[in-house]
Amino acid sequence: MVSSSHEALHRIFQQDPGLFARAARHLGVAFPPPVSATELSTDLTETQPLERRVDTLLRMDTEDGSFLLAVESQGRPAPDKPASWAYYLSYVYAKYRIPPVLLVVCADRGTAAWAARQVDIGPRQWPSLTLRPLVLGPDDVPVIDSPDEAARDIPLTVLSAALHRRDPGADAILNALAKALKSVSADDEDTATTFIELTEQGLGTTQAAELWRHLMAVDLSFFQSQTAQQLRAEGQAKGRAEGRAEGRAEGQAESRAKDLLLLLGHRGVEVSEQDRERIVGCGDPDVLGLWFRNALTATSTAEIFASAGESGLAD
């Protein structure tokens, strides 16, 4: 099962494709910033019953030309992964005829060192392919602990928090990020909410996640995001009797439905009136939470509902 922290390490590049060029500078590789970026299908499935999916795939158009950016979030070393990565790159190059770049994002230093190895594919006398991933790990992205610096690049700060989530500097990053997000919310609360959710996912089950939950429940209590609502509901639950649980669940469901519709609008996913009524009318926070997670990558409401084992409604 794919973890939420796994998702955040590659979805941040969907949220801000320009982050790749900025982050790659810390690896000593200069990519021009994209003039535009188009999110492509991550489905690399063959006609045979073998499904292969890259985590995130973006077409990056720059003044110097175009390239494909395949982003993989890797939690631990996996012996079969280099072969899969080589397949991804070969497949997308054959399909789109655009040069591909593989970026592997790792929150674990050992995994980052493993992923950064060059892999020659073929006999030692004449390797036919050479796999050279770009790898972003905790040592490749700086600790951003200044609110001013965080405000200048929120997506990079979210990535910094996710990659340094087990490091002593994580608390300083999160405090800086919380302060920076307050200023962002004044202009675009929807965008701020998206970054709050990505941060929550990127921290996983670490101690830093506990601090973030505290910041969400206190310092960022004015946000109406799914994470903020859930944390406030959890805090209230400790001091309330079971008889009021149903009322809290209804409020939580209403908030999650609102967040889901905001996310779909932010991602440009068409929502029919029938789909909207279904979302608003759902009183189960867990189901709405599942739909919200599906909506982070789905391109239609049918995908959101079908992935929950249900028949999708009209796109």
Side-chain angles (χ1 to χ4, degrees):
M1 181 177 180
V2 177
S3 66
S4 59
S5 58
H6 170 101
E7 297 297 296
L9 288 178
H10 68 86
R11 291 198 210 287
I12 187 67
F13 293 92
Q14 296 177 11
Q15 182 65 30
D16 182 5
L19 173 61
F20 168 70
R22 302 194 301 275
R25 297 191 196 114
H26 300 288
L27 301 173
V29 183
F31 281 90
V35 176
S36 64
T38 305
E39 188 172 347
L40 304 175
S41 172
T42 60
D43 190 349
L44 307 184
T45 307
E46 296 179 305
T47 55
Q48 294 90 348
L50 176 63
E51 185 176 282
R52 297 179 186 269
R53 291 181 183 269
V54 65
D55 285 338
T56 283
L57 183 63
L58 299 169
R59 171 176 173 149
M60 310 286 273
D61 299 314
T62 75
E63 293 181 351
D64 292 340
S66 301
F67 65 93
L68 298 178
L69 177 63
V71 185
E72 281 281 285
S73 173
Q74 191 67 25
R76 60 181 183 274
D80 295 337
K81 268 295 181 177
S84 296
W85 291 338
Y87 173 89
Y88 298 162
L89 296 178
S90 299
Y91 181 94
V92 297
Y93 183 63
K95 181 176 181 178
Y96 297 105
R97 297 296 180 182
I98 299 174
V101 174
L102 172 64
L103 175 68
V104 183
V105 188
C106 310
D108 174 72
R109 287 179 171 81
T111 303
W114 165 82
R117 298 178 304 169
Q118 176 175 305
V119 177
D120 292 326
I121 300 175
R124 60 179 179 81
Q125 295 89 343
W126 193 270
S128 299
L129 292 173
T130 297
L131 180 69
R132 297 178 60 207
L134 279 175
V135 177
L136 282 174
D139 295 330
D140 303 308
V141 174
V143 171
I144 300 177
D145 53 11
S146 161
D148 291 339
E149 186 179 359
R152 286 193 292 270
D153 199 333
I154 296 288
L156 184 62
T157 307
V158 173
L159 182 62
S160 175
L163 294 181
H164 291 283
R165 62 196 184 200
R166 296 185 180 89
D167 295 345
D171 290 4
I173 299 173
L174 295 177
N175 278 290
L177 178 58
K179 291 181 174 64
L181 283 170
K182 289 183 179 180
S183 61
V184 173
S185 68
D187 300 322
D188 189 349
E189 185 167 336
D190 290 348
T191 297
T193 295
T194 298
F195 289 127
I196 289 172
E197 301 292 347
L198 283 170
T199 302
E200 169 75 9
Q201 292 180 347
L203 296 175
T205 58
T206 60
Q207 290 184 347
E210 293 296 326
L211 172 62
W212 186 245
R213 282 190 279 270
H214 173 75
L215 293 171
M216 286 297 302
V218 181
D219 293 349
L220 300 180
S221 59
F222 53 88
F223 280 107
Q224 299 302 309
S225 69
Q226 177 189 12
T227 300
Q229 289 287 345
Q230 181 177 352
L231 292 170
R232 286 195 288 275
E234 290 174 354
Q236 293 168 355
K238 294 180 180 178
R240 293 185 176 182
E242 292 183 359
R244 303 188 64 181
E246 183 177 351
R248 292 197 301 272
E250 291 176 356
Q252 189 179 46
E254 180 180 352
S255 175
R256 290 192 175 186
K258 178 182 176 182
D259 289 341
L260 175 55
L261 291 171
L262 286 174
L263 175 62
L264 292 172
H266 183 70
R267 296 193 65 239
V269 177
E270 183 179 352
V271 180
S272 69
E273 187 60 33
Q274 186 180 10
D275 291 339
R276 184 178 299 275
E277 291 178 359
R278 181 177 184 180
I279 291 171
V280 173
C282 180
D284 189 334
D286 292 334
V287 172
L288 287 163
L290 175 61
W291 289 350
F292 185 93
R293 291 190 294 273
N294 295 337
L296 291 170
T297 55
T299 58
S300 69
T301 53
E303 292 181 24
I304 295 172
F305 300 136
S307 57
E310 307 176 43
S311 299
L313 298 179
D315 292 349

